[in-house]
Amino acid sequence: MTLCLVRQHHIGCCRNLFGNVDGEICLSAGARAGAAPTEGVLALAGVRGFIAMESVLGREMDAAVLRQQVAADNIANVNTPGFRRRLVRFEDELARAVRGRGVTGVLTNPRHIPVGTAPVSRVRPRVVRDDTSAMRNDGNNVDIDREMAINAAAELHYAALTQVTSARYRMLRSAITQGGR
């Protein structure tokens, strides 16, 4: 998924910048509110777009923190016989929700079967058990090197998201204080 932070452009430029717009999120200040976005692009403009994107960024930060916690738990259990590593799923579901513009069912009961893709506002990170990776003789499938790399990547991802969020609030503050000039 590509995050477009270019200012003062129209939605079609995402295709020019990135080639394939499948799954991109456009945060352009120039994106027109209510304009039909290019397929696969979540166009966010105006106050509603700012709030919606803050929600997505917040959930992405939550996923990064959860990913660090899960990696730490996996590392703590590296020598526990029979322990299966866990991992966090979020980005794939977010991309699917951004692309999914079809029919979406509303769950009125937690036991209902979901229909279609979840709206972007309902996508949450989830922890799943990894039963696909190779196991040692004791049944444990934790690779400490992989977990350390996942932990470091999650830390860098969180720092980048913090910078994006900070930049967005600086732009908002600038628009409020200098908008009437």
Side-chain angles (χ1 to χ4, degrees), residues 66-76 86 147 150-151:
L66 182 60
R67 196 166 275 125
Q68 285 182 306
Q69 292 170 343
V70 168
D73 185 52
N74 290 342
I75 291 168
R86 296 180 308 150
E147 299 303 325
I150 289 170
N151 196 17

Side-chain angles (χ1 to χ4, degrees), residues 20-133:
N20 180 3
V21 296
D22 190 31
E24 292 176 358
I25 296 177
C26 176
L27 303 179
S28 168
R32 296 182 314 264
T38 308
E39 183 179 340
V41 176
L42 178 61
L44 302 172
V47 174
R48 285 186 185 154
F50 185 89
I51 292 168
M53 195 63 216
E54 286 306 305
S55 176
V56 171
L57 286 171
R59 280 190 305 264
E60 185 71 35
M61 292 172 94
D62 291 344
V65 169
L66 182 60
R67 196 166 275 125
Q68 285 182 306
Q69 292 170 343
V70 168
D73 185 52
N74 290 342
I75 291 168
N77 286 291
V78 70
N79 292 322
T80 304
F83 182 82
R84 301 288 180 96
R85 74 181 288 270
R86 296 180 308 150
L87 53 110
V88 176
R89 296 272 186 227
F90 178 71
E91 288 79 7
D92 294 340
E93 292 182 26
L94 179 62
R96 193 174 21 246
V98 168
R99 282 191 306 268
R101 301 255 196 266
V103 176
T104 302
V106 176
L107 296 178
T108 57
N109 186 310
R111 296 185 309 181
H112 286 168
I113 298 172
V115 176
T117 59
V120 174
S121 62
R122 292 210 179 121
V123 176
R124 300 280 186 258
R126 61 186 178 95
V127 178
V128 296
R129 193 171 77 175
D130 180 11
D131 291 324
T132 61
S133 60

Side-chain angles (χ1 to χ4, degrees), residues 6-11 26-33 35 44-46:
V6 178
R7 300 169 86 192
Q8 305 291 323
H9 76 283
H10 60 19
I11 293 170
C26 176
L27 303 179
S28 168
R32 296 182 314 264
L44 302 172

